[in-house]
Amino acid sequence: MHCWNKLRLVCIHLDVGNFQQNARQFAIGSAKNSIVHTLRYRLNWRQFLIVPPLAAGVAVFMWMTRERDGELPVAQNEEALAVRVVEVSKVPLRFFVTGFGRVEAAHTWSAISQVQGRAVYVNPKISVGHLVDKDEQLVIIDPRNYEISLAKARTARDAAQASLAELEARRVNILATLELEERIEAFLQTELERQSELLERGNVAQSIVDQATRSLLTQQKIVLEHQNNLNLIPVQRKTLETTLAIRNAEIEEATRNLENAQIHAPFAGRVSREAVALGQFIRVGDNLFTIDSIDTAEIVAEFQPQALRNLLITIMGGNVDVLSLFPGELNEAFDFVKSLNLQTTVHSTNFDGYTWPAELIRFGGSVDEQTGAVGLVVQVDAPTVPDPVTQRPPLVNGTFVEIHLSAPEDIQAISIERNALHADSDGSEFVYVVDEGSRLARRGVIAGTVLNDKIVILNGLADGDTVVLSDPQPVVYGMLLQAMHN
């Protein structure tokens, strides 16, 4: 405003100077015209009497309107613009960022039938909303067919085992017989040699030697047959062992089918879906019911990347390149975030004032294509157990909740109203401040995370600075301000 007043005074001064110059020229021109006209027409001498008064008037007018060097018209009083301000200072703040998500069971189990048959028992708790205990029996499928199959498999196994035992007995008998036959073969071999010596001395006939030769050959054939039978024993044993393995597999299959005919709850949970009734024929692959765990719940909370960045910068003290803090691997990046010991709490949007402690367990693994939000998974233990002290209700699956990630402790920092922060076209952030002369000035700042309706200033402001909250119009740096403290 002060600059505008000076400019206006200069313009007034120029206008006055132009008027004075034009007046002087007009007066001189009028005087010259009067004299020339008088001389030209040789007027009466009385007509010259008008010249002195006219000259005197022109002289007085020029003296009154003469320009005084270095002198400008007096400016009016400068007006101060009233603005709302606040004096900032560092205070302890608990920084946090808010995400949103829905409660889901950490574990969900669907009972898919692995056998077929008629349902001979259905637990009355198999109804949506009911709680079931771990290992509680829920459904029994008619087991008779699988009991018969198991009995057949066991009988076939016993037969295979008997065949193996019989084969072993045969092997022992063959070994004993072979030993005896080999002894007979040795005796006949000796007898043939003796008869051959007697034949050389002429004591026996050739027919006796021939008979001994035939007897030895017959015995050698018998020994060979026993040896061949003994060599077949390993092959026969392998076949029987394979048959026994098949029978054992049949027994295991029948046993598993018999066990699968009875369905038990793998963990304590709440029934979220049912599709089975007493007497219903169940086929392999039928989905009978679904149970959601109640011991833990998970929430995939979506956070804006800029908000997470501001929180990390605030915790790290500002002026930090967040990207340099994260290694290349996603698991290592999550480990770094975990090392900051962020406090995680779940806040219900339906029940004000109730919170559940939670734990940050992993990244969601993807970014929302529409909003660009980053998913972080938090886990809540015993979400369905009411708290008798705080009267906190159970955290039911499907509930829409807020998740707060906060710094582990309070941090001394300056915060201002969000509308007091401005940005240039290039993204540079700044605020308006009141300088020592009560005039408008600009101050570049670095902003951090947002806390409700305020934003944290990491750099650029100090204790005692006066920040302009209202938007001055027009913005003229150096204009006089009237500070009105908020």
Side-chain angles (χ1 to χ4, degrees), residues 410-427:
D410 292 345
I411 300 176
Q412 297 286 334
I414 292 175
S415 64
I416 61 174
E417 294 183 9
R418 296 175 65 177
N419 58 4
L421 182 66
H422 306 275
D424 288 330
S425 58
D426 61 354

Side-chain angles (χ1 to χ4, degrees), residues 79-117:
E79 296 181 0
L81 178 65
V83 292
R84 291 189 308 112
V85 299
V86 64
E87 185 175 324
V88 298
S89 61
K90 290 185 178 180
V91 294
L93 298 173
R94 180 62 61 92
F95 298 99
F96 68 92
V97 62
T98 301
F100 299 92
R102 290 192 181 276
V103 180
E104 299 178 356
H107 306 286
T108 299
W109 179 75
S110 294
I112 307 297
S113 177
Q114 296 178 277
V115 296
Q116 67 178 17

